[in-house]
Structure formats: structure tokens, C-alpha cells
């Protein structure tokens, strides 16, 4: 599938990410999560996603003006992380101090680990001073990747915690992750994600399969052979998933089932 078609699919469904259309309560978590994933994809693409997506900049500007504002977010703390990311890519630093303090004060024991990782990754992305790296490193140790949990006894939450340990640990592509821990080499983690890739693929869990490839690329110090392996797997993904009938027939009705797959594939292109 050509990337232009992927961007067009997202552009045609940009209103899916518009949380203004959803009442501000617990039922809007799905839309807020989708919007945050769109912003993180833009961050991974070095803030260039807006060049390819019609309506991206206007959506961000509208939400920052009407939705990610102190009087709304103060009543709904779950909005603050989204506001912090959204305002960051708009360079509206004058508004960031309020949301930064709200997120720093948020002592809610997030569960699972991947949400805790996301919490501190957002703080570190915005502050960019290394102050949250220690928290992130401790959380990576608590993830299935840090605990070296075998795939044989893992569930999908375990694998997602492993991919997010790398994705969040990289501070959304800003930081190199050559050797996560001194007791294991980059190759050890690469092999873990290789096995997780095939596990996800065989179970038709395609968005997780792509996330394992993103994590593999973010390890950076891989051999030429390992890089070739990743390229072959990307070719397989593109041929068998992104060019099949299901992806080519995405509509407004079923877009919610595919948006994450499209976004992670765009991130993979940026980090490969």
C-alpha cells in the first residue's frame, strides 16, 4: 500500500480524532486515546505528519483552543497528559506550565505498566531535561522486557508492556536505546521481539506485530543481518496486510478498527 493512500485514509476520517464531538466524561477515553496516538505519531515523524494530513493542523488548533484549556482539564485530570502533548507540538509553551504541574502532581497509581511508562515519557518529552529518565528506567525493569518474562507464559499485556518499554523509553524516538541493561545485549532484546513478532502475526494481532518491529528498530545497534531481517518482515507486512482487501476497504464505519494499525505503520516508516 502506498503511504499516500495511508495518509489519505486518515485525512478522510480526521473527525474520528475530534474529541470535541464527544461529551467530556469517562466515555470519551477511546477518542482521547486515539487523538494522543495521532499526536505521538506526529512526534515520531519529527512533527511532519501535518504536512501529509489534510485537517491535522486545524484539528490540533481547534482542540487546543476549546478543549485542552485549564478550566476544562482541571475538572478532568485525564485530559492533562493529552493537553501537554498537544500544546507541546504547537509550541504554546505559555500554557504548558499549568498542565505540567497537574501531570507532575498526578500520583494516581496507573495500571498497567505501559500507562505508567507513557506518563513519564510525556513528562520527559515536554521537559527534555533528563529528570524523568530514572523513573522510566525503573519502570522498564518492571515491564515484561525488564523481567525477561518468557513468551510462553506471556499474554498480550506483557508483550505490549515490552514494546512500550522501548517506545516510551526512547522518549518517542528522541533517545537511543542501545543496551537497555548491562546484563543483556541488544541482540537478546532483538530476538525477543522477533519471537513476539511471529507470535502476534500468527494470531492475526497485526498492530502488535508492527509495534514489535518499531521496538526492534529503536534498539538501533543491530547487525546488518538483523536489519535485513526487519526489512524482510516489513515487506511481508506490507504485502500481506497493507495491500489486502480489508485495508483497501476501510470506511467511516470500520475506521475505528484500523486507525491504530495505520498509525503504527507510519511510525515504523519513520524509525526503520
Amino acid at each position: 500500500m502506498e503511504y499516500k493512500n495511508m495518509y489519505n485514509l486518515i485525512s478522510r476520517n480526521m473527525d474520528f480524532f475530534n474529541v470535541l464531538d464527544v461529551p467530556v466524561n469517562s466515555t470519551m477515553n477511546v477518542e482521547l486515546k486515539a487523538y494522543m496516538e495521532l499526536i505521538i505519531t506526529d512526534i515520531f515523524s519529527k512533527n511532519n505528519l501535518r504536512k501529509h494530513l489534510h485537517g491535522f493542523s486545524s484539528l490540533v488548533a481547534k482542540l487546543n483552543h476549546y478543549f485542552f484549556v485549564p478550566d476544562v482539564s482541571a475538572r478532568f485530570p485525564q485530559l492533562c497528559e493529552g493537553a501537554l502533548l498537544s500544546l507541546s507540538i504547537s509550541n504554546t509553551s505559555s500554557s504548558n506550565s499549568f498542565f505540567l504541574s497537574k501531570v507532575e502532581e498526578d500520583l494516581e497509581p496507573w495500571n498497567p505498566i505501559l500507562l505508567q511508562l507513557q506518563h513519564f515519557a510525556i513528562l520527559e518529552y515536554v521537559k527534555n531535561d533528563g529528570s524523568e529518565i530514572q523513573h522510566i528506567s525503573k519502570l522498564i525493569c518492571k515491564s515484561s522486557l525488564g523481567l525477561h518474562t518468557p513468551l510462553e507464559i506471556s499474554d498480550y499485556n506483557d508483550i505490549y508492556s515490552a514494546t512500550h518499554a522501548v517506545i516510551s523509553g526512547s522518549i518517542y524516538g528522541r533517545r537511543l536505546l542501545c543496551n537497555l541493561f548491562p546484563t543483556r545485549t541488544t541482540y537478546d532484546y532483538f530476538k525477543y521481539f522477533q519471537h513476539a513478532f511471529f507470535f502476534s502475526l500468527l494470531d492475526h494481532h497485526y498492530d502488535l506485530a508492527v509495534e514489535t518491529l518499531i521496538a526492534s528498530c529503536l534498539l538501533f545497534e543491530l547487525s546488518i543481518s538483523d536489519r535485513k531481517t526487519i526489512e524482510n518482515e516489513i515487506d511481508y507486512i506490507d504485502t500481506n496486510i497493507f495491500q489486502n482487501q480489508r485495508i483497501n476497504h476501510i470506511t467511516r464505519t470500520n475506521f475505528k478498527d484500523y486507525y491504530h494499525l495505520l498509525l503504527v505503520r507510519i511510525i515504523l516508516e519513520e524509525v526503520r
Side-chain angles (χ1 to χ4, degrees), residues 136-150:
I136 292 170
S137 296
K138 288 181 179 179
L139 286 168
I140 291 175
C141 290
K142 294 180 181 180
S143 72
S144 62
L145 190 68
L147 295 173
H148 311 309
T149 307

Side-chain angles (χ1 to χ4, degrees), residues 55-181:
F56 177 89
S57 296
S58 60
L59 172 65
V60 174
K62 183 169 64 173
L63 289 173
N64 285 353
H65 183 75
Y66 293 106
F67 189 70
F68 293 122
V69 290
D71 62 333
V72 175
S73 296
R75 291 182 284 121
F76 301 96
Q78 73 270 31
L79 302 181
C80 291
E81 289 186 351
L84 204 52
L85 276 182
S86 192
L87 293 166
S88 299
I89 69 163
S90 306
N91 296 318
T92 53
S93 56
S94 59
S95 302
N96 275 355
S97 57
F98 169 82
F99 295 103
L100 186 60
S101 64
K102 291 290 288 184
V103 173
E104 285 180 318
E105 292 168 6
D106 183 5
L107 300 179
E108 181 178 352
W110 291 104
N111 197 26
I113 288 290
L114 66 90
L115 290 181
Q116 298 180 52
L117 282 161
Q118 176 180 281
H119 177 82
F120 288 106
I122 290 171
L123 280 175
E124 182 56 40
Y125 175 79
V126 174
K127 294 160 72 174
N128 195 26
D129 60 1
S131 59
E132 308 301 332
I133 297 299
Q134 185 177 5
H135 293 294
I136 292 170
S137 296
K138 288 181 179 179
L139 286 168
I140 291 175
C141 290
K142 294 180 181 180
S143 72
S144 62
L145 190 68
L147 295 173
H148 311 309
T149 307
L151 279 175
E152 291 80 5
I153 61 171
S154 296
D155 59 20
Y156 280 116
N157 285 333
D158 290 329
I159 305 176
Y160 272 116
S161 80
T163 59
H164 281 254
V166 177
I167 291 171
S168 295
S170 74
I171 318 300
Y172 306 136
R174 180 181 282 172
R175 190 164 74 113
L176 300 183
L177 290 176
C178 297
N179 286 305
L180 293 174
F181 306 105

Side-chain angles (χ1 to χ4, degrees), residues 5-25:
N5 293 336
M6 253 196 295
Y7 290 122
N8 286 341
L9 275 171
I10 296 173
S11 292
R12 288 200 302 268
N13 293 279
M14 192 62 71
D15 58 345
F16 171 75
F17 301 97
N18 189 354
V19 292
L20 277 179
D21 296 336
V22 184
V24 184
N25 54 42

Side-chain angles (χ1 to χ4, degrees), residues 176-178 186-187 190 194 212-235 268-272:
L176 300 183
L177 290 176
C178 297
T186 301
Y187 183 71
F190 176 73
Q194 287 294 287
T212 63
L213 293 180
I214 292 171
S216 296
C217 291
L218 289 173
L219 293 173
F220 285 95
E221 283 188 353
L222 299 174
S223 68
I224 294 175
S225 174
D226 293 338
R227 289 286 176 185
K228 182 64 176 175
T229 297
I230 292 175
E231 291 300 321
N232 289 339
E233 290 166 352
I234 292 173
D235 288 343
L268 177 59
E269 189 62 21
E270 295 295 334
V271 302
R272 66 189 294 188

